[in-house]
């Protein structure tokens, strides 16, 4: 009886093992040779998740707006396809060494794309990876930032992006429009920022062609910005400040020098004008971020190669003025200038 039960149990076990083996056989999903698998690939395209690292060079209103525009627009575009995007936003606090550390972290994490907001961030990304797609924003001149000669508008590498360079000839014309009787123009910028030097090299001959005498006043960092600004005030009727991250982070210091001295500042960007300037011809940095996001979408979802993508710029520019500083300095902007909100 026990032998019969034992035999029955053994037979049952063999049958169970046989059934299990049959059930665990994997189905061969390999398509026959020549069969089109694109439909199957398309069916699994939805539901992807993208990891995007954002290195912002420093905390500043313009850079903040570009980052926000980038996140908002890319989220909108990606989610419209049923996909998701995860952002790792880190701020370098104006330290290029921090930019390098942040970028290396993105590379180690294997992010799908890196957005570099600011020149130092872009340079760190360029050094950090030649494989992960990189998009810059708030970059004045890519050829200067990336040390590239024979610039064609495309990098031919894993990098592209957007530029925040407003028309420099238009800014010179604005300076002449508001201050036609000025003789001496002080060009104030940070010597450590190659993009600032690029702008000065472009706008200086334009202003000189207009009849202005231009003198450059450079500061190495925020520590000497007050003394250099004071020096510029002694010999200038008006001061011009290009798109300059160090100046943008020290507008209160500049204002505390130029306003008491009665020397107005023409600024290249709204953020600097809001802090210490009287007029500006500026772009919308939120819109700049949105444009960068559209490029990111084309890379992540459309499979485009950054090296083949033209660096893009915002075409809409606006004449704006700082109402409070203009009133304090007795300056009335011409018709067609919009007040900076909150200034």
């Amino acid at each position: 009886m026990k032998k019969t039960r034992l035999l029955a149990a053994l037979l049952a076990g063999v049958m169970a093992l046989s059934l299990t083996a049959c059930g665990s056989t994997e189905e061969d999903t390999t398509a026959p040779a020549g069969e089109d698998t694109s439909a199957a690939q398309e069916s699994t395209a939805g539901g992807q998740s993208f990891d995007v690292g954002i290195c912002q060079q420093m905390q500043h209103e313009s850079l903040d707006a570009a980052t926000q525009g980038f996140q908002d627009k890319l989220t909108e575009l990606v989610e419209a396809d049923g996909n998701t995007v995860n952002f790792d936003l880190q701020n370098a606090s104006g330290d290029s060494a921090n930019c390098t550390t942040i970028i290396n972290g993105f590379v180690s994490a294997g992010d799908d794309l890196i957005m570099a907001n600011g020149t130092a961030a872009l340079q760190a990304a360029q050094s950090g990876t030649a494989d992960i797609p990189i998009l810059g924003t708030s970059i004045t001149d890519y050829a200067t930032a990336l040390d590239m000669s024979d610039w064609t508008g495309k990098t031919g590498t894993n990098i592209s992006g957007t530029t925040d360079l407003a028309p420099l000839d238009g800014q010179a014309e604005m300076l002449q429009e508001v201050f036609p009787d000025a003789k001496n123009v002080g060009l104030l910028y940070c010597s450590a920022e190659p993009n600032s030097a690029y702008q000065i090299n472009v706008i200086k001959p334009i202003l000189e062609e207009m009849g202005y005498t231009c003198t450059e006043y450079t500061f190495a960092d925020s520590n000497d910005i007050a003394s250099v600004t004071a020096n510029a005030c002694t010999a200038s009727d008006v001061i011009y400040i290009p798109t300059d991250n160090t100046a943008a982070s020290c507008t209160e210091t500049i204002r505390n020098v130029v306003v008491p001295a009665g020397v107005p500042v023409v600024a290249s960007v709204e953020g600097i004008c809001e802090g210490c300037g009287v007029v500006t011809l500026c772009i919308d940095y939120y819109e700049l971020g949105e444009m960068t996001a559209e490029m990111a979408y084309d890379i992540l979802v459309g499979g485009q190669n950054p090296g083949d993508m033209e660096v893009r710029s915002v075409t809409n520019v606006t004449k704006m003025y700082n109402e409070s500083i203009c009133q304090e300095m007795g300056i009335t902007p011409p018709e067609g200038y919009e007040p900076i909100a909150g200034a």
Side-chain angles (χ1 to χ4, degrees):
M1 198 67 181
K2 288 181 180 180
K3 290 182 180 180
T4 303
R5 290 177 181 175
L6 179 58
L7 180 59
L10 288 172
L11 290 173
V14 170
M15 293 176 65
L17 286 172
S18 177
L19 290 171
T20 301
C22 293
S24 64
T25 301
E26 293 183 2
E27 180 180 354
D28 185 5
T29 57
T30 303
E35 183 175 318
D36 185 8
T37 60
S38 59
Q41 291 173 347
E42 288 178 6
S43 68
T44 60
Q48 297 181 87
S49 179
F50 302 106
D51 294 318
V52 176
I54 301 175
C55 178
Q56 183 171 317
Q57 185 167 325
M58 64 177 63
Q59 199 78 33
H60 183 266
E61 182 178 346
S62 296
L63 302 186
D64 293 346
T67 292
Q68 192 63 57
F70 176 79
Q71 290 179 291
D72 291 348
K73 189 64 176 181
L74 186 55
T75 299
E76 173 192 331
L77 292 172
V78 168
E79 290 185 351
D81 290 336
N83 302 316
T84 58
V85 58
N86 306 303
F87 297 106
D88 183 0
L89 169 58
Q90 298 190 42
N91 194 297
S93 301
D95 189 333
S96 58
N98 289 342
C99 289
T100 299
T101 302
I102 291 169
I103 294 297
N104 288 341
F106 295 157
V107 174
S108 296
D111 285 351
D112 299 302
L113 182 140
I114 294 173
M115 195 277 263
N117 191 350
T119 301
L122 180 64
Q123 291 171 333
Q126 179 190 32
S127 299
T129 177
D131 301 316
I132 298 175
I134 299 168
L135 288 178
T137 193
S138 309
I139 309 299
T140 303
D141 179 61
Y142 279 78
T144 302
L146 301 176
D147 193 23
M148 301 182 70
S149 58
D150 301 325
W151 178 247
T152 63
K154 302 176 184 179
T155 68
T157 68
N158 61 321
I159 301 173
S160 190
T162 56
T163 173
D164 62 355
L165 181 63
L168 292 170
D169 54 350
Q171 293 182 12
E173 291 169 0
M174 179 186 62
L175 187 149
Q176 186 180 50
E177 179 183 40
V178 181
F179 302 105
D181 299 326
K183 303 295 183 184
N184 300 299
V185 177
L187 306 173
L188 182 67
Y189 65 101
C190 180
S191 59
E193 298 193 30
N195 282 323
S196 299
Y198 167 80
Q199 294 168 80
I200 295 302
N201 290 337
V202 173
I203 199 170
K204 184 177 181 180
I206 298 175
L207 291 170
E208 290 175 337
E209 184 73 19
M210 292 176 172
Y212 294 104
T213 298
C214 299
T215 305
E216 297 180 30
Y217 298 92
T218 62
F219 47 89
D221 52 40
S222 59
N223 294 321
D224 60 348
I225 195 168
S227 60
V228 173
T229 302
N231 188 29
C233 286
T234 61
S236 305
D237 300 312
V238 58
I239 290 174
Y240 172 79
I241 301 178
T243 303
D244 186 287
N245 289 318
T246 306
S249 65
C250 299
T251 55
E252 183 177 357
T253 300
I254 298 173
R255 175 175 180 156
N256 290 340
V257 176
V258 298
V259 173
V263 180
V265 168
V266 173
S268 62
V269 291
E270 181 181 350
I272 294 177
C273 189
E274 182 179 359
C276 64
V278 291
V279 292
T280 182
L281 181 69
C282 63
I283 66 169
D284 186 331
Y285 274 81
Y286 186 88
E287 181 183 352
L288 189 71
E290 290 183 309
M291 182 178 290
T292 312
E294 291 169 354
M295 297 178 73
Y297 176 82
D298 290 339
I299 293 169
L300 293 171
V301 179
Q304 290 196 25
N305 178 13
D308 296 332
M309 302 172 75
E310 291 269 1
V311 169
R312 299 174 61 185
S313 60
V314 175
T315 57
N316 298 323
V317 293
T318 306
K319 292 180 176 179
M320 306 188 79
Y321 72 99
N322 185 319
E323 187 173 15
S324 63
I325 294 182
C326 281
Q327 289 179 350
E328 194 169 351
M329 302 185 75
I331 296 171
T332 302
E335 293 292 328
Y337 284 72
E338 300 179 7
I340 297 175

